[in-house]
């Protein structure tokens, strides 16, 4: 058995090594948008610098907001290609770090996408508890920092047990949002997500959220 293993190892070492790999010009890209947009597009350029064709078998990302696309799956030796990536901003803000994993029949390549989004808004506090006997209205402050002036266009509570209204604190940037329990004598617990829809100076529509909880009085 020992002689057989040694012979097999020798044969493997003497076999000509054939390389096949996609080499990327950049494995990390940083985007810094200078104006409000709904999504960002970028490209990762690569080349098959091996001696055999390479086939991409899968592409995955760390977040559904990051969508990769290839024109084709197989690349001949010396052939160049482009991996296009779209990042959907949605209600995201601040630094974002995502990974794109490219699986091929020659190995796996992990790419990094960094998106430095501006701080768009802050809601304080983001969670209110209504507990007996303190069932008075609760107030949150939403402050906008980007794409000013910003106007709140709609407020929606996911549970009709709560109502929400807004008032201007500072025109175009600061608003007070008041939450009210419709039936403070309710015997069942309640919870709601409040959606704050706004429109910036550029016309971009954004969505922010905060949360409400109700605990009924003790029996």
């Amino acid at each position: 058995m020992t002689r057989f293993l040694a012979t097999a190892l020798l044969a493997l070492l003497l076999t000509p090594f054939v390389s096949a790999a996609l080499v990327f010009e950049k494995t990390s890209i940083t985007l810094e948008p200078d104006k409000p947009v709904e999504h960002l597009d970028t490209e990762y350029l690569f080349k098959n610098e091996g001696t055999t064709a390479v086939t991409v078998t899968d592409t995955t990302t760390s977040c559904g907001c990051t969508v990769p696309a290839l024109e084709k799956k197989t690349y001949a030796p010396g052939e160049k290609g482009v991996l296009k990536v779209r990042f959907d901003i949605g209600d995201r803000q601040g630094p974002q770090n995502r990974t794109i994993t490219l699986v091929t029949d020659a190995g796996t390549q992990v790419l990094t996408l960094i998106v430095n989004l501006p701080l768009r808004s802050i809601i304080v506090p983001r969670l209110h508890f209504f507990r007996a006997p303190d069932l008075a209205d609760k107030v949150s402050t939403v402050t906008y920092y980007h794409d000013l002036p910003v106007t709140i266009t709609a407020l929606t509570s996911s549970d009709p047990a709560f109502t929400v209204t807004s008032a201007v604190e500072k025109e175009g940037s600061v608003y007070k949002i008041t939450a009210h329990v419709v039936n403070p004598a309710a015997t069942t617990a309640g919870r709601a997500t409040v959606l704050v829809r706004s429109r910036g100076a550029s016309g971009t529509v954004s969505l922010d959220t905060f949360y409400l909880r109700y605990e009924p009085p003790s029996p």
Side-chain angles (χ1 to χ4, degrees):
M1 178 64 71
T2 302
R3 179 177 297 178
F4 173 78
L5 290 176
T7 302
L9 179 60
L10 180 61
L12 180 61
L13 292 175
L14 294 176
T15 301
F17 176 72
V18 178
S19 63
L22 300 183
V23 177
F24 284 79
E25 290 186 6
K26 294 181 179 180
T27 58
S28 180
I29 292 178
T30 299
L31 302 178
E32 297 186 356
D34 57 0
K35 60 182 179 180
V37 291
E38 294 182 355
H39 61 262
L40 298 168
D41 294 307
T42 191
E43 297 180 343
Y44 293 82
L45 307 179
F46 62 86
K47 180 181 179 181
N48 179 1
E49 295 190 354
T51 57
T52 61
V54 175
T55 298
V56 179
T57 58
D58 194 19
T59 53
T60 59
T61 64
S62 58
C63 175
C65 62
T66 309
V67 182
L70 283 168
E71 292 182 350
K72 53 188 292 186
K73 296 295 185 181
T74 301
Y75 296 84
E79 185 175 3
K80 295 182 179 180
V82 178
L83 175 67
K84 296 182 178 180
V85 175
R86 169 163 290 189
F87 178 82
D88 292 320
I89 295 178
D91 60 354
R92 297 171 182 84
Q93 53 181 321
Q96 308 289 315
N97 194 314
R98 302 292 184 267
T99 57
I100 304 104
T101 302
L102 200 71
V103 181
T104 76
D105 55 4
T108 300
Q109 177 74 60
V110 178
L111 309 171
T112 302
L113 176 64
I114 299 171
V115 183
N116 291 323
L117 298 174
L119 178 63
R120 182 177 50 78
S121 65
I122 291 179
I123 296 180
V124 180
R126 294 182 62 88
L127 174 63
H128 284 297
F129 278 101
F130 292 86
R131 296 189 182 98
D134 181 18
L135 297 175
D137 292 352
K138 309 293 185 183
V139 178
S140 286
T141 300
V142 53
T143 304
Y144 296 97
Y145 299 96
H146 188 64
D147 198 19
L148 303 178
V150 174
T151 302
I152 291 179
T153 59
L155 288 174
T156 306
S157 169
S158 63
D159 187 336
F162 304 91
T163 60
V164 285
T165 57
S166 66
V168 176
E169 178 78 5
K170 182 178 180 180
E171 190 68 40
S173 62
V174 183
Y175 295 85
K176 297 288 187 181
I177 301 178
T178 301
H180 172 77
V181 178
V182 175
N183 181 13
T187 57
T188 58
R191 58 178 56 199
T193 298
V194 178
L195 304 180
V196 184
R197 187 177 298 274
S198 61
R199 185 183 300 276
S202 67
T204 300
V205 174
S206 300
L207 198 64
D208 294 285
T209 59
F210 69 98
Y211 308 94
L212 305 174
R213 300 289 185 268
Y214 168 75
E215 293 183 6
S218 300

